[in-house]
């Protein structure tokens, strides 16, 4: 897991060359002005979803992981918290290959506040429970093929 300013995404291109494409997309697009929806950048290898999430309590939030994709989550509006835990500490759970997601039932102890202008990068080994919030939020979720 990496937390940094969105302006620094390109610094991580050594970890995945598509991070440079994310940086270029961020320079040429205003995420705040984009309508809700799915935007392909490099086909199924790299895309972004602009979403709104309804309020969710910490108790209702579920940890999730992805096997094939890296998440880069960017809060655009609102106040959000993320729960997180190393995947290696969780019991195995059913994997949904069609949606590249595994949900876990275990509670989490670690939680962090995310601010607009930050990017949180979750790799396949990072279980995360995003969108913990008291009011609706708007965010961009880049999906990057690992």
């Amino acid at each position: 897991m990496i937390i940094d300013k969105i302006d620094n995404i390109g610094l991580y291109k050594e970890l995945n060359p598509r991070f440079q494409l994310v940086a270029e997309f961020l320079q040429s697009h205003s995420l705040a002005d984009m309508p809700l929806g799915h935007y392909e950048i490099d086909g199924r290898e790299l895309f972004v979803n602009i979403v709104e999430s309804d309020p969710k309590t910490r108790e209702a939030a579920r940890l999730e992981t992805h096997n094939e994709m890296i998440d880069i989550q960017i809060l655009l509006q609102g106040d959000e918290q993320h729960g997180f835990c190393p995947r290696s500490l969780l019991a195995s759970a059913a994997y949904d290959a069609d949606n590249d997601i595994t949900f876990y039932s275990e509670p989490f102890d670690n939680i962090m506040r995310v601010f607009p202008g930050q990017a949180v990068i979750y790799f396949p080994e990072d279980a995360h429970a995003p969108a913990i919030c008291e009011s609706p939020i708007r965010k961009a979720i880049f999906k990057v093929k690992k």
Side-chain angles (χ1 to χ4, degrees), residues 5 16 23 37 53 58-59 65 77 95-96 101 106 119 141:
K5 298 184 305 183
N16 186 305
S53 295
R58 180 176 178 167
E59 294 74 30
T65 58
Q77 291 177 330
Y95 173 63
D96 177 349
I101 196 162
E106 286 100 330
I141 304 171

Side-chain angles (χ1 to χ4, degrees), residues 90-104:
L90 301 171
S92 63
Y95 173 63
D96 177 349
D98 291 338
N99 295 301
D100 185 39
I101 196 162
T102 302
F103 286 109
Y104 300 87

Side-chain angles (χ1 to χ4, degrees), residues 2-125:
I2 297 172
I3 305 167
D4 203 343
K5 298 184 305 183
I6 59 173
D7 297 340
N8 291 337
I9 293 293
L11 298 176
Y12 302 101
K13 64 184 175 193
E14 299 302 321
L15 299 176
N16 186 305
R18 291 184 188 90
F19 287 179
Q20 182 61 39
L21 295 174
V22 173
E24 292 168 7
F25 186 88
L26 290 169
Q27 290 175 349
S28 62
H29 294 79
S30 172
L31 297 177
D33 296 331
M34 293 176 69
L36 298 179
H38 174 86
Y39 301 88
E40 289 190 4
I41 300 167
D42 186 19
R44 297 294 303 154
E45 307 289 309
L46 172 60
F47 56 91
V48 63
N49 294 316
I50 307 295
V51 301
E52 289 181 350
S53 295
D54 290 328
K56 185 187 321 177
T57 65
R58 180 176 178 167
E59 294 74 30
R62 294 173 52 197
L63 289 167
E64 63 185 62
T65 58
H66 312 286
N67 291 356
E68 300 301 322
M69 303 298 273
I70 299 165
D71 272 8
I72 301 176
Q73 299 201 13
I74 299 172
L75 180 64
L76 302 174
Q77 291 177 330
D79 189 12
E80 179 183 27
Q81 295 181 337
H82 290 198
F84 60 97
C85 176
R87 182 184 211 166
S88 61
L89 298 180
L90 301 171
S92 63
Y95 173 63
D96 177 349
D98 291 338
N99 295 301
D100 185 39
I101 196 162
T102 302
F103 286 109
Y104 300 87
S105 59
E106 286 100 330
F108 48 89
D109 294 324
N110 299 315
I111 194 160
M112 68 180 162
R113 187 170 175 199
V114 179
F115 298 93
Q118 287 182 316
V120 183
I121 304 172
Y122 290 111
F123 295 91
E125 62 270 12

